[in-house]
Amino acid sequence: MEAEKTINHYLAHVSEEVFTRAKSIKVLITDIDGVMTDGGIIYDDQGIEYKKYNVKDGLIVQHLRKAKILVGAITGRASQVVENRCEELKFDFHYHGIKDKGKKLEEILQTIEVSMEEVAYIGDDLIDLPILANVGLAISPADALPYVKIYSHYVSPFAGGKGVFREVADILLHSKGQLVPIIENLSKKEL
């Protein structure tokens, strides 16, 4: 019962409307820069790109997939570093260098037979608006642009690269009654 009490406290700020929307989600899609990273890009003097990711964001992907929630990314930049991270996390799909994210989402939904209402999307900038304005659960990180936040059902208290993806995954799993069992199962003491 300690896990349930802790989770209820951790997610106490999340509205009932968000949890209701989260219950019907079958696909979680995220932008990368500004969501899974802080939006910064570092280049060394040889032009090699570096990004910093939050390891806690990645850890939860396997649990989403076990809960039969597909996980994907649609990002506006083409970057080998990002492709590598998506592959490492075993995302079900990821698309890079996409300028029309709304059109790409429509194409994806036709192949996986999921409705817009069954999609959660995390985005932080103008390019994300065609998706945020149409999905069942639209989320923005705390540091998203103000005119993007107004199209979100939920604005996380976490900034991009600081755990927003993890919090959203936790909300989805908790809405389906699966987060507490995951915690309790992993914390069992061996005899």
Side-chain angles (χ1 to χ4, degrees), residues 26-181:
K26 294 181 179 176
V27 182
L28 172 58
I29 304 174
T30 187
D31 179 30
I32 301 294
D33 292 321
V35 175
M36 293 196 76
T37 75
D38 65 5
I41 301 170
I42 300 170
Y43 292 103
D44 69 12
D45 58 359
Q46 296 174 337
I48 297 174
E49 182 178 333
Y50 297 89
K51 293 182 185 282
K52 179 179 160 187
Y53 295 94
N54 188 320
V55 72
K56 292 180 189 108
D57 285 346
L59 186 62
I60 202 69
V61 172
Q62 66 181 314
H63 296 289
L64 289 167
R65 294 181 77 228
K66 285 179 187 174
K68 303 209 181 328
I69 298 172
L70 297 175
V71 182
I74 304 174
T75 180
R77 290 189 70 248
S79 166
Q80 190 60 52
V81 174
V82 173
E83 287 188 42
N84 294 347
R85 181 66 172 155
C86 292
E87 285 294 318
E88 177 186 16
L89 296 179
K90 297 182 176 32
F91 276 15
D92 294 289
F93 57 86
H94 48 96
Y95 298 94
H96 309 267
I98 304 301
K99 300 308 175 206
D100 186 344
K101 290 185 176 188
K103 182 178 177 185
K104 178 51 78 175
L105 177 59
E106 288 175 8
E107 292 170 9
I108 293 167
L109 296 183
Q110 288 175 358
T111 64
I112 61 175
E113 298 179 5
V114 171
S115 71
M116 283 282 192
E117 293 78 29
E118 297 170 314
V119 174
Y121 183 80
I122 312 169
D124 71 315
D125 208 341
L126 287 170
I127 196 169
D128 301 304
L129 287 176
I131 296 180
L132 289 170
N134 290 292
V135 295
L137 180 56
I139 307 107
S140 291
D143 59 344
L145 293 160
Y147 48 81
V148 173
K149 290 178 183 179
I150 63 172
Y151 291 94
S152 296
H153 300 109
Y154 177 67
V155 177
S156 173
F158 296 96
K162 303 292 184 192
V164 60
F165 182 88
R166 177 56 176 267
E167 184 202 26
V168 171
D170 288 345
I171 290 168
L172 293 178
L173 290 168
H174 191 56
S175 76
K176 298 171 186 297
Q178 296 186 23
L179 185 57
V180 171

